[in-house]
Amino acid sequence: MATSMQRPMMKSSLPRPAMAKVMGRRALVVKAAKDKTIVIGLAADSGCGKSTFMRRMTGIFGGTPKPPMGGNPDSNTLISDMTTVICLDDYHCMDRFGRKDAGVTALAPEAQNFELMYQQVKALKEGKPVDKPIYNHVSGLLDSPETIQSPPILVIEGLHPFYDSRVAALLDFKIYLDISDDIKFAWKVQRDMAERGHSLDSIKKSIEARKPDFDAYIDPQKMDADFIIQVLPTQLVPDTEGKYLRVRLIQKENSKLYDPVYLFDEGSSITWIPCGRKLTCSFPGIKMAYGPDTWNGQEVSVLEMDGQFDKLEELIYVESHMSNTSAKFYGEITQQMLKNSGFPGSNNGTGLFQTIVGLKVREVYERILKKELTTA
């Protein structure tokens, strides 16, 4: 296994309030010239937290993700200092009404233009601009194309980033968000009713109609992922509302581009209930676990958090017991979590593991280009 690029872990002698002030003054400053474009793939079903993950990840590289300036206000593309995020819904070859007439869902392969997807991702990876289509989620129509320049880091996110073998071969790092059915339904209702104006009945019908295609075309892609964030109902207490989450970070072993995160002792099987005096947790508390495992015949290591915590600044206690996090200084994970404290999942394993995977993207970038992004 490759040696970690992480600096040796040191515990600060500063009191926690003083450490919080130090952490608050430190910010990542990106100093990198234009090199080859690194391509990241993020696969998940609709309503599974892709947008929140993107905001966490792109924030690590600096800047605030925004749509292309002066372009379509309904653009799905987000551009920041080093990253461009493309939504693969833009490669639908049928609009919402065409899919209805044809009797297919947005998940069906025949509803995608994989040829154009491949050609444009390839062009962007080669440093060339493209005129990318736009799928309008409000109207359900295909809008006029927008010009996208090649960025240092291109993220393609959506339903099918690993489905077409040609597109998958262009990806340097693959991530899959694996959300259980119960949790997915709760999240999709919250998003589609609040943000897209859909009714509860229409959401239920959409989920039922999509399920066969999800099982056939979307879910199998997780076999190809390097990292999987799996979100499940808690095992701590009975919970029919999905209030508490059990989150697992499944990491493929033996990669040359990253080192898997571990808790306490690499390769050991560990269960840990953090000290209640150092990490404030309301009932039912928090339970963590780590250990080696197999995933569809592949060697993996799994880091798990079940439950939620109350005070984000105390997360540094958990962070101090993890290694190979790809953080560049003591407390960087906690700093990132505090910066994004208003995002969903900021008090449980979803936010924590999304942040860690974002740091792993940075590690992949550095190892491919053989250069380090510095902090100030």
Side-chain angles (χ1 to χ4, degrees):
M1 179 177 294
T3 302
S4 171
M5 295 175 64
Q6 180 180 340
R7 296 173 183 168
M9 185 174 66
M10 298 178 62
K11 295 192 176 181
S12 171
S13 59
L14 291 172
R16 189 175 292 118
M19 173 54 69
K21 290 181 181 179
V22 172
M23 289 165 52
R25 290 198 299 267
R26 302 195 66 173
L28 181 67
V29 177
V30 174
K31 301 176 182 177
K34 179 70 173 75
D35 290 286
K36 65 179 289 187
T37 293
I38 306 304
V39 186
I40 310 298
L42 173 66
D45 195 8
S46 175
C48 287
K50 294 188 296 294
S51 297
T52 299
F53 176 84
M54 287 297 99
R55 294 201 300 271
R56 290 189 192 277
M57 191 209 75
T58 56
I60 289 171
F61 293 92
T64 301
K66 297 177 181 177
M69 290 185 61
N72 188 328
D74 293 319
S75 170
N76 302 305
T77 303
L78 293 174
I79 299 173
S80 57
D81 291 359
M82 286 188 67
T83 62
T84 293
V85 179
I86 288 178
C87 175
L88 295 184
D89 288 358
D90 289 337
Y91 294 98
H92 290 334
C93 60
M94 304 178 188
D95 62 24
R96 186 180 299 156
F97 308 98
R99 293 195 303 270
K100 184 176 180 181
D101 291 341
V104 299
T105 73
L107 291 76
E110 58 265 35
Q112 323 304 320
N113 189 339
F114 286 114
E115 178 62 30
L116 183 62
M117 185 190 300
Y118 164 67
Q119 293 295 342
Q120 295 201 339
V121 173
K122 181 174 181 289
L124 290 167
K125 189 177 179 73
E126 293 172 349
K128 304 170 185 174
V130 301
D131 289 331
K132 181 189 62 59
I134 299 173
Y135 177 77
N136 190 316
H137 285 101
V138 177
S139 68
L141 300 174
L142 297 169
D143 289 350
S144 299
E146 60 186 355
T147 300
I148 303 297
Q149 303 294 329
S150 175
I153 300 173
L154 173 67
V155 183
I156 61 170
E157 60 91 359
L159 298 169
H160 304 90
F162 321 151
Y163 183 85
D164 185 287
S165 60
R166 299 168 303 168
V167 177
L170 296 171
L171 301 176
D172 297 295
F173 188 59
K174 304 183 186 76
I175 307 157
Y176 188 92
L177 304 184
D178 187 19
I179 316 299
S180 71
D181 289 344
D182 290 343
I183 303 301
K184 186 191 300 183
F185 177 73
W187 286 3
K188 190 169 177 63
V189 166
Q190 182 179 6
R191 187 203 64 176
D192 285 1
M193 290 185 71
E195 299 179 13
R196 298 183 179 176
H198 297 180
S199 68
L200 181 61
D201 184 60
S202 69
I203 294 170
K204 288 180 178 178
K205 289 180 178 177
S206 172
I207 290 175
E208 291 169 359
R210 293 163 62 95
K211 187 69 166 66
D213 281 355
F214 171 79
D215 292 341
Y217 309 122
I218 312 305
D219 194 55
Q221 292 178 86
K222 65 187 177 188
M223 310 304 176
D224 296 324
D226 298 300
F227 272 47
I228 300 167
I229 299 178
Q230 189 178 60
V231 182
L232 305 161
T234 182
Q235 292 183 333
L236 298 178
V237 292
D239 178 23
T240 58
E241 299 178 359
K243 183 178 180 181
Y244 305 107
L245 301 176
R246 174 186 172 221
V247 188
R248 305 173 78 228
L249 181 61
I250 302 169
Q251 312 162 90
K252 280 188 182 175
E253 293 279 357
N254 305 315
S255 172
K256 295 180 180 179
L257 296 181
Y258 62 84
D259 296 321
V261 184
Y262 65 89
L263 184 66
F264 290 110
D265 183 36
E266 188 172 17
S268 297
S269 295
I270 292 166
T271 300
W272 179 44
I273 298 177
C275 173
R277 294 189 300 274
K278 299 177 182 177
L279 184 69
T280 306
C281 304
S282 302
F283 179 84
I286 278 185
K287 183 178 180 180
M288 296 195 67
Y290 161 79
D293 205 341
T294 56
W295 174 264
N296 295 292
Q298 302 174 82
E299 292 185 15
V300 299
S301 56
V302 181
L303 182 64
E304 178 179 317
M305 174 179 278
D306 193 349
Q308 61 187 38
F309 42 87
D310 294 342
K311 298 181 179 179
L312 259 179
E313 63 271 17
E314 294 178 350
L315 186 62
I316 197 167
Y317 167 57
V318 173
E319 181 179 351
S320 69
H321 292 293
M322 295 188 295
S323 297
N324 283 354
T325 62
S326 303
K328 290 187 174 294
F329 56 86
Y330 178 74
E332 185 180 11
I333 294 174
T334 304
Q335 182 195 68
Q336 288 291 329
M337 292 286 286
L338 285 166
K339 183 176 73 173
N340 301 318
S341 60
F343 291 2
S346 292
N347 64 342
N348 60 48
T350 57
L352 174 61
F353 293 160
Q354 286 175 1
T355 300
I356 289 174
V357 174
L359 297 179
K360 288 298 171 185
V361 170
R362 186 176 68 190
E363 181 179 2
V364 168
Y365 177 89
E366 291 179 331
R367 290 197 181 186
I368 291 175
L369 296 185
K370 296 180 171 59
K371 67 191 302 180
E372 185 172 352
L373 302 179
T374 60
T375 60

